[in-house]
Amino acid sequence: MTFVLIASAAISLLAVGVIGWYSRPAGRTRAAHHVARTVDLGLDPDVERSVAARLSRREVMGGVGGLVTMWGTVGLLAATTDVLEAAFAPLLVAVGYLLGHAVGYGVVAWDESRRPAAAGPRIARASSPGHGDYVARHERWGAWAAAGVATLVAAGFVVLDLVLGVPEMPWPLVVATAVLPWLAIGLDEALARRLLDRRQVASTTLELAWDDAMRARTLRDMVTVPLVLGLYLPLVLTGVIADASEGGWPANPMVGITSGVFLGVLGGACLMGAISMALTPQRHFRTRLWPRPVEQVAR
């Protein structure tokens, strides 16, 4: 338990530091220029202020959401017999922070998706971009794959309960693991459609490109929620069942099974993260919508 609390306190300090950084004008400005270099777009003063404000909101909400979910996870594990003493408990706490961080991003994305477009001049574009123009295919498929893994893990433990017997089966958590990721995917698709149906208002090509950049960021934030949820719930479910399993392998097969499932889900999550980083999904919208330079280069 001591190690879990130390890890939680360290994550909290880092999160508070990030929130403080993005709450400062200098931090917001530097973040805006970092994004500009990442997507290779220029920044004029008006666009810079808008981008900096939007980045600040998402990072602050992400940090707050992460802290709330992380400490909620600590409380949940503390209430579940001796799970806090388990070796995997710090990992669950860290993933809990990532889930809350994704939800915080999602809240900002949802708020932006429901805002009406501001009045103003508009550049016409030949066709209306779709979801796939903003979010790379592997990120959307990743959310579906994570939901499928969550359902398979939940169903697998139900089968094991019938065959081997699972002591103190957490049925509400089993149902949540099987169902919630799919509900999150459905909500993500509905909100994405609402955002994509909004008209874009821009008076210059650069403004339109930046609107696409922030729209892509919003849609990617939204799809992160079901993705992380689909990885978080199976880990929590597996950890709870592992804690209730007494003895060791091979005397108790459930010990080996839960260890294998936990490491498999965690390894799959790390692999998905590595693949996503290698494919640079933040530049996907440039490839699809802006393959050529846009008026100015990033400073």
Side-chain angles (χ1 to χ4, degrees), residues 7-8 10 14-15 57 90-91 99 102 124 126 129 140 159 164 166 176 184 196 213 225 230 239 244 249:
S8 301
L14 290 173
R57 288 184 68 235
L91 291 174
L99 173 62
R140 295 182 70 188
V159 173
L164 300 176
V166 176
L196 291 169
V225 177
W249 177 271

Side-chain angles (χ1 to χ4, degrees), residues 61-174:
M61 284 298 296
V64 172
L67 289 173
V68 170
T69 308
M70 181 187 70
W71 286 106
T73 300
V74 173
L76 174 64
L77 297 182
T80 309
T81 61
D82 297 322
V83 177
L84 276 182
E85 305 294 340
F88 56 78
L91 291 174
L92 291 180
V93 170
V95 177
Y97 176 82
L98 294 177
L99 173 62
H101 201 271
V103 171
Y105 277 5
V107 169
V108 174
W110 170 78
D111 182 61
E112 291 184 350
S113 71
R114 69 187 183 90
R115 289 182 177 182
R122 181 185 182 192
I123 294 179
R125 68 192 317 164
S127 60
S128 299
H131 204 166
D133 293 315
Y134 294 108
V135 182
R137 186 177 300 176
H138 70 271
E139 288 190 304
R140 295 182 70 188
W141 285 1
W144 287 77
V149 168
T151 301
L152 286 175
V153 169
F157 281 124
V158 172
V159 173
L160 288 172
D161 183 49
L162 297 174
V163 177
L164 300 176
V166 176
E168 302 177 16
M169 188 73 159
W171 289 109
L173 185 55
V174 171

Side-chain angles (χ1 to χ4, degrees), residues 265-286:
V265 173
L266 190 61
C270 293
L271 179 62
M272 290 173 63
I275 292 174
S276 180
M277 289 173 57
L279 295 176
T280 59
Q282 64 271 22
R283 292 183 60 88
H284 174 74
F285 84 98
R286 286 298 309 262

